[in-house]
Amino acid sequence: MNDSSPTASIRIDIISDITCPWCYIGKHRLEAAIASYAGLDVDLHWRPFQLDPNIPEDGLDLRAYTAKKRNDAEADINQMLASQAGQELGLAFSWDKIERMPNTRDAHRLIRHALLYGAQTKIVERLFKAYFCEGADIGDRGLLIELAEESGIDRYAVENLFAQQDDILTIEEELAITRRLGLPKVPCFVFADEIVVPGAASSDVFAAALFRAQEQIGPGTPQA
């Protein structure tokens, strides 16, 4: 364990989508790296990205969708690799339970709203678990409301969020920004506004990024 003394909070922006298994894996690898540092203060900000923004609002049958996107062998290999990586982190992917490929815009709206409660990372974890481990349809607003309440977010505020649609323009602008970045892959992690780690890197790579960010901001130095 690294016994470095406490420093200013390190901001980490995480660009991801809930239907991306490597985003789930990357989250846990990052958390393992953070846990290896004693007294390290981090500030996680979750940024929206959609692997496929063209999925209709009510989603699609997963198997029909996957058949159009890639062949079965490719899908099986990706699932096998993700399952192996997940097992090392205690994540049990249940591919056979997943029946829908959802449009994740509402899930990203909920994640953005969770910032008001300091619960972004908590709801992100719950959404990943619901989709990949429980096979839940995270495009269903009723389910999103239940998961929000379970994560300590006021259900009536979330019901109002979905009913009023006042945040649609904002979330679409944020999605447009991440699309324009032309990322080669997600997840993508940005430490202290400058250090970029693409993909579900190893915990050692994340630890090195944390060390560099810690040196960059210095003790007690606030970030913009």
Side-chain angles (χ1 to χ4, degrees):
M1 178 177 290
N2 190 307
D3 293 324
S4 56
S5 58
T7 66
S9 177
I10 298 174
R11 176 176 176 131
I12 307 175
D13 288 274
I14 306 166
I15 303 170
S16 68
D17 197 6
I18 295 299
T19 57
C20 167
W22 296 101
C23 293
Y24 193 16
I25 292 164
K27 174 184 181 293
H28 278 261
R29 287 176 174 173
L30 172 64
E31 289 171 341
I34 293 170
S36 71
Y37 275 79
L40 185 66
D41 184 20
V42 298
D43 184 19
L44 304 183
H45 288 254
W46 293 87
R47 301 302 185 192
F49 186 87
Q50 286 188 297
L51 293 172
D52 188 348
N54 298 314
I55 294 175
E57 287 192 12
D58 58 350
L60 295 168
D61 176 81
L62 177 64
R63 280 150 189 81
Y65 174 82
T66 303
K68 290 182 179 180
K69 286 289 183 179
R70 55 190 176 187
N71 60 49
D72 290 340
E74 182 182 356
D76 289 345
I77 290 172
N78 188 58
Q79 289 182 1
M80 180 189 68
L81 293 174
S83 293
Q84 290 175 347
Q87 285 177 356
E88 297 174 2
L89 298 162
L91 306 178
F93 287 92
S94 298
W95 305 106
D96 58 324
K97 294 182 180 180
I98 305 173
E99 298 180 353
R100 302 291 293 173
M101 174 56 75
N103 183 307
T104 56
R105 185 177 66 170
D106 282 342
H108 287 302
R109 293 170 66 197
L110 174 57
I111 293 167
R112 183 177 182 277
H113 179 73
L115 183 62
L116 298 174
Y117 297 81
Q120 269 200 321
T121 300
K122 187 173 184 179
I123 192 63
V124 166
E125 176 66 24
R126 188 64 189 92
L127 288 166
F128 276 135
K129 183 178 179 181
Y131 186 68
F132 285 114
C133 303
E134 300 167 8
D137 180 4
I138 58 167
D140 179 83
R141 289 183 177 177
L143 174 68
L144 293 176
I145 291 167
E146 295 299 323
L147 296 181
E149 184 175 37
E150 181 183 317
S151 301
I153 301 169
D154 186 274
R155 69 174 293 127
Y156 300 107
V158 179
E159 288 173 353
N160 186 65
L161 176 79
F162 290 145
Q164 298 298 323
Q165 306 280 307
D166 292 340
D167 64 323
I168 289 294
L169 181 59
T170 300
I171 201 70
E172 289 294 353
E173 288 175 346
E174 292 186 2
L175 285 166
I177 288 170
T178 55
R179 282 196 295 269
R180 286 198 298 268
L181 291 175
L183 299 173
K185 63 177 70 176
V186 289
C188 184
F189 303 80
V190 184
F191 296 73
D193 295 326
E194 291 188 13
I195 302 163
V196 179
V197 177
S202 69
S203 293
D204 287 343
V205 170
F206 283 131
L210 287 167
F211 179 79
R212 289 174 57 199
Q214 191 177 36
E215 284 194 323
Q216 179 174 300
I217 66 175
T221 303
Q223 286 184 257

